[in-house]
Amino acid sequence: RHVAIALGHHSDDNIETILMKILRGSSLTSLQGISKILVDSKSNLVKFRPLLSFAKSELVDYLTDLGLDWREDSSNASCDYQRNRIRNRLVPLLEELAGSPKALSERFGELSLQSQMLQEWIENEIRTGDIKEKRLLNRKELTFCKEYSSSSLSPSSSVSLSPLVHPSPKTFFLNLSEPVLVQRERLARFLSVAKGGHPVLARSVNQIMSKLGDSSSQRRVASVDLGKGFRAFCEGDNAVSVMHEDGLKMYCNN
């Protein structure tokens, strides 16, 4: 038995969500708005949002015509938070440029739909290739220690490989026969999992893709800072490993 809750999110909330993702540097497959229906299988709770097709101004006009009052969080008017600044400053400007709130809602609705379609296509490519997350391996051949130091290693630096002494970091191998878009999506998922579920910026994926196949020699590894203390190491054409700086220090000092 499920319990259903109707939530009052409208198309402006959708637009704000997508704009925040764009400003964070999210990938194309992440530029989707708020889900209309969300089912929590553990609690049997169903959340649905029947007003996502309507702009806030439309809802306000409708309630005003009926002479009905509504409640609004007073903090919404504050610009202390990024989402509020987007809501109060950016969205009104975009609505003006688009011609109307409805027009802007339609533009972002189409963007969200295309993002969803792209994600579904990539999901199908992944299922067809039958590779999925099993590419997140513990590989014992790839290590990179001797020249590591936390003070000198920069996102553009490289380190030499040393003989294996300890278990190596988790390593992902790109399938170069796949479309580049699928490779990027697989890489982004691997990086997120390797970081313990933390999001990965498209910028980091771009840096890694540009470094693969561009090492100075086969025995050197290019490094990319992923944030949150995590670092990716790129070797050859398709190998990417991730370690946290604490584990890397301990790993390379032994």
Side-chain angles (χ1 to χ4, degrees):
R1 183 178 179 180
H2 288 80
V3 177
I5 299 179
L7 302 175
H9 295 99
H10 43 73
S11 64
D12 291 32
D13 296 310
N14 232 8
I15 293 171
E16 293 164 14
T17 298
I18 296 174
L19 286 172
M20 290 184 70
K21 289 181 177 181
I22 292 174
L23 294 174
R24 285 200 301 262
S26 299
S27 64
L28 290 176
T29 56
S30 299
L31 298 183
Q32 300 174 35
I34 304 171
S35 300
K36 290 186 176 180
I37 299 178
L38 185 62
V39 180
D40 188 335
S41 57
K42 293 183 179 180
S43 63
N44 290 329
L45 180 64
V46 179
K47 299 178 182 179
F48 67 99
R49 301 176 173 91
L51 304 178
L52 283 179
S53 299
F54 301 95
K56 179 181 178 180
S57 60
E58 292 180 294
L59 298 175
V60 169
D61 290 342
Y62 177 75
L63 294 173
T64 301
D65 290 342
L66 293 178
L68 298 176
D69 295 327
W70 65 91
R71 293 184 179 181
E72 187 165 349
D73 189 337
S74 59
S75 67
N76 286 343
S78 170
C79 288
D80 292 339
Y81 307 101
Q82 184 188 50
R83 190 178 193 106
N84 285 9
R85 291 195 294 273
I86 291 174
R87 175 186 300 128
N88 298 326
R89 298 175 182 174
L90 184 55
V91 171
L93 175 60
L94 292 176
E95 288 175 344
E96 179 185 344
L97 294 174
S100 69
K102 190 68 174 179
L104 183 65
S105 175
E106 291 174 351
R107 306 291 192 279
F108 275 80
E110 179 62 27
L111 174 62
S112 179
L113 177 61
Q114 291 184 25
S115 175
Q116 180 181 348
M117 293 170 63
L118 179 61
Q119 184 181 45
E120 290 173 352
W121 176 78
I122 291 177
E123 292 285 356
N124 183 67
E125 289 292 306
I126 291 176
R127 285 193 297 269
T128 301
D130 194 28
I131 302 174
K132 299 183 180 180
E133 297 299 335
K134 66 183 179 181
R135 287 189 174 276
L136 196 155
L137 305 171
N138 281 319
R139 183 174 179 247
K140 293 187 177 180
E141 302 92 77
L142 184 63
T143 57
F144 32 75
C145 291
K146 282 188 177 178
E147 296 179 14
Y148 170 77
S149 69
S150 59
S151 60
S152 62
L153 192 58
S154 65
S156 61
S157 64
S158 60
V159 293
S160 294
L161 294 176
S162 66
L164 176 69
V165 178
H166 304 284
S168 66
K170 294 176 179 178
T171 303
F172 173 83
F173 298 92
L174 288 174
N175 183 348
L176 301 181
S177 65
E178 292 180 326
V180 174
L181 191 59
V182 177
Q183 295 180 38
R184 290 173 55 88
E185 183 68 14
R186 288 191 188 277
L187 176 59
R189 294 183 184 192
F190 162 76
L191 295 174
S192 179
V193 172
K195 289 181 61 179
H198 292 293
V200 176
L201 297 179
R203 179 179 66 240
S204 299
V205 175
N206 291 338
Q207 290 175 338
I208 292 172
M209 293 293 289
S210 67
K211 290 180 183 298
L212 288 172
D214 193 34
S215 297
S216 58
S217 72
Q218 293 184 349
R219 298 296 295 172
R220 298 191 68 80
V221 180
S223 168
V224 174
D225 184 6
L226 299 177
K228 299 288 185 181
F230 289 90
R231 189 172 292 278
F233 297 86
C234 315
E235 183 187 30
D237 292 330
N238 68 335
V240 181
S241 298
V242 174
M243 285 192 76
H244 191 272
E245 58 185 13
D246 293 336
L248 188 57
K249 291 175 185 177
M250 180 178 64
Y251 178 65
C252 293
N253 288 333
N254 285 283

